[in-house]
Amino acid sequence: MSLENFMTFAKQCLRPPGEGVYTVSNAKERKDQLHQKLYGVGGSKPVNVQDAWLSSLTQGLSSNSPTVAALGICSDTGGGIQRGANWGPLFLRQAMIEQQQWNLLDLGDVFVVPQILHDKYLNQETIAKIKKSIYNNENSPYPVSPLSITEETVRLVNESFSQVKIFGIGGDHSISYSLVKAWAQATSRKNKKIGLIHFDAHTDLMIERLGIDLCFGTWVPPIIPLFDSPSDIFQIGIRSSGQERSHWENKFGLHQLWAEEIKSSGLEASLNKLDQYLAQKKFDEVYISFDIDALDASYAPATGTPEFGGLAPHEAKLFLEVVGKHCKVSGADMMELAPFVQIFDNPQGQWSTFTSAAALSQTMIDLMEKK
């Protein structure tokens, strides 16, 4: 696919950063601030944000220099406890601009119709109606659901711009199904041995939830066959489950490092366990998926399913650095950031969550930029 064809796709299926949430006025001031910082436009500026974004996208994708590109997926349709993660991409970008160095190529946001999740759940009549509404063409070749558009975006980028690595920003964790699937398929075609490092308070290993096989709690099983072995998946921080650890490891064959083991065995021993695992596996490339609820709820309460007993930010950073010591990180994401969710009546919850998420996101991006 040529740059021209991808830009045609982007104009239809993507939106400028911060614009992926379909809304009339919510957070307009915050969006204007983001556009001002990213492009020097917005608010009273006469320059069109859409034009500024497309111009930066064209310039960035035309370069042959290796780069990390952000992709926002403002969907929480796959969530199921508390909604609100659809605002994660907007707020994380702003937090990173304020607290870290934001020098990413920004692909923008997947356009989200908030009532749908994946095209496979829709009949053809509904798909045609949505295409007519959002593309003004009921025969458009493009998908309409956030997970389907996400998968197509990553596929097109990997196919046409091999120098680009995508950092996904969610959104609920169902989104990682599409991100990891497209990444794994593209990487496997290069005959690379791949692995997945998954930070989470929950296993996300349910086969279905109320009959739905793609959601925040079910996204891992469908991507297991994309790896040479289930043991190529390593989960860190698990602590909220209806089953014992042995149930998950025996049933699926993957590896887990539960939060209680980290506490009881000690951080150094736990880091060594991951170190030994990666030294043995010798992955060519890995993907890191980070659910912010892997952190203890005292650090990250602004999420749909906060859990106590989790990692401290500095502990999570040390685990990430072990991954970077052994592996080339060619894909990553930060999920389940819900800025308007407030628990424990904690007025600092949003700030602490996004401060931690920004720092850990920057660590993952640094690993992706390593040669």
Side-chain angles (χ1 to χ4, degrees):
M1 171 173 280
S2 66
L3 174 61
E4 181 181 356
N5 288 339
F6 181 80
M7 294 306 297
T8 298
F9 168 84
K11 290 175 184 177
Q12 291 286 309
C13 298
L14 305 179
R15 294 295 185 273
E19 294 290 339
V21 175
Y22 183 70
T23 180
V24 177
S25 60
N26 283 8
K28 181 181 185 305
E29 181 179 349
R30 189 176 287 269
K31 290 179 182 180
D32 286 347
Q33 290 173 357
L34 177 65
H35 297 152
Q36 178 67 37
K37 291 173 181 175
L38 288 177
Y39 309 119
V41 301
S44 61
K45 291 281 186 178
V47 181
N48 185 281
V49 173
Q50 176 92 353
D51 292 342
W53 163 62
L54 291 174
S55 177
S56 71
L57 196 54
T58 301
Q59 183 178 354
L61 292 175
S62 297
S63 171
N64 290 322
S65 300
T67 188
V68 177
L71 177 66
I73 309 96
C74 309
S75 171
D76 61 4
T77 307
I81 305 299
Q82 291 193 83
R83 298 298 176 88
N86 56 334
W87 291 107
L90 171 62
F91 279 68
L92 182 61
R93 282 186 178 98
Q94 191 165 51
M96 293 189 69
I97 289 172
E98 293 172 353
Q99 301 165 33
Q100 308 288 332
Q101 184 179 4
W102 179 266
N103 57 359
L104 305 183
L105 169 66
D106 204 319
L107 298 175
D109 288 343
V110 166
F111 181 71
V112 172
V113 178
Q115 289 80 20
I116 58 178
L117 182 63
H118 194 284
D119 282 14
K120 76 173 189 174
Y121 294 129
L122 304 174
N123 60 38
Q124 291 304 309
E125 180 183 1
T126 301
I127 290 175
K129 287 181 178 179
I130 297 173
K131 286 182 176 182
K132 184 175 181 181
S133 176
I134 65 177
Y135 301 137
N136 199 30
N137 176 8
E138 64 182 22
N139 296 312
S140 169
Y142 302 129
V144 298
S145 306
L147 264 60
S148 302
I149 295 175
T150 298
E151 185 177 332
E152 182 69 359
T153 302
V154 178
R155 186 190 71 81
L156 292 176
V157 170
N158 286 329
E159 183 180 279
S160 304
F161 312 104
S162 59
Q163 78 280 15
V164 176
K165 302 174 185 177
I166 293 181
F167 178 70
I169 310 173
D172 76 74
H173 218 157
S174 68
I175 294 159
S176 292
Y177 162 78
S178 297
L179 293 169
V180 176
K181 178 183 177 181
W183 168 86
Q185 290 174 335
T187 310
S188 296
R189 282 194 291 268
K190 304 173 189 174
N191 295 317
K192 303 287 188 180
K193 181 172 176 56
I194 60 173
L196 170 65
I197 310 299
H198 172 203
F199 290 81
D200 208 316
H202 313 91
T203 66
D204 294 355
L205 285 169
M206 298 171 66
I207 300 301
E208 53 86 20
R209 186 175 190 271
L210 301 176
I212 301 298
D213 62 351
L214 288 181
C215 72
F216 73 131
T218 66
W219 70 273
V220 177
I223 57 96
I224 292 177
L226 300 175
F227 296 82
D228 289 343
S229 166
S231 67
D232 295 335
I233 299 174
F234 196 104
Q235 298 183 319
I236 302 172
I238 307 299
R239 58 193 185 279
S240 177
S241 170
Q243 302 285 349
E244 297 292 329
R245 170 179 173 174
S246 59
H247 167 84
W248 301 113
E249 289 189 326
N250 293 337
K251 180 176 181 178
F252 291 99
L254 41 66
H255 289 279
Q256 294 180 333
L257 184 59
W258 282 46
E260 63 185 21
E261 179 183 351
I262 298 173
K263 304 299 182 186
S264 61
S265 299
L267 180 60
E268 184 175 356
S270 300
L271 292 170
N272 287 338
K273 183 173 182 178
L274 177 61
D275 185 272
Q276 292 168 12
Y277 166 84
L278 294 172
Q280 178 186 5
K281 281 294 186 177
K282 293 182 170 55
F283 294 123
D284 293 316
E285 299 185 24
V286 299
Y287 188 103
I288 302 173
S289 183
F290 202 111
D291 186 324
I292 196 62
D293 69 28
L295 298 186
D296 189 271
S298 60
Y299 298 103
T303 184
T305 51
E307 305 282 357
F308 284 108
L311 298 171
H314 75 277
E315 294 173 330
K317 186 174 188 294
L318 290 173
F319 280 109
L320 290 172
E321 289 172 350
V322 172
V323 177
K325 169 186 169 184
H326 288 278
C327 307
K328 176 182 178 182
V329 180
S330 56
D333 64 53
M334 177 61 73
M335 294 290 144
E336 295 287 358
L337 298 162
F340 297 126
V341 172
Q342 294 293 332
I343 62 170
F344 322 130
D345 195 26
N346 179 7
Q348 297 299 314
Q350 183 186 106
W351 179 88
S352 63
T353 301
F354 280 84
T355 297
S356 300
L360 292 170
S361 294
Q362 188 61 53
T363 297
M364 288 189 282
I365 290 165
D366 290 343
L367 296 179
M368 295 171 73
E369 291 177 337
K370 280 180 59 178
K371 297 183 179 179

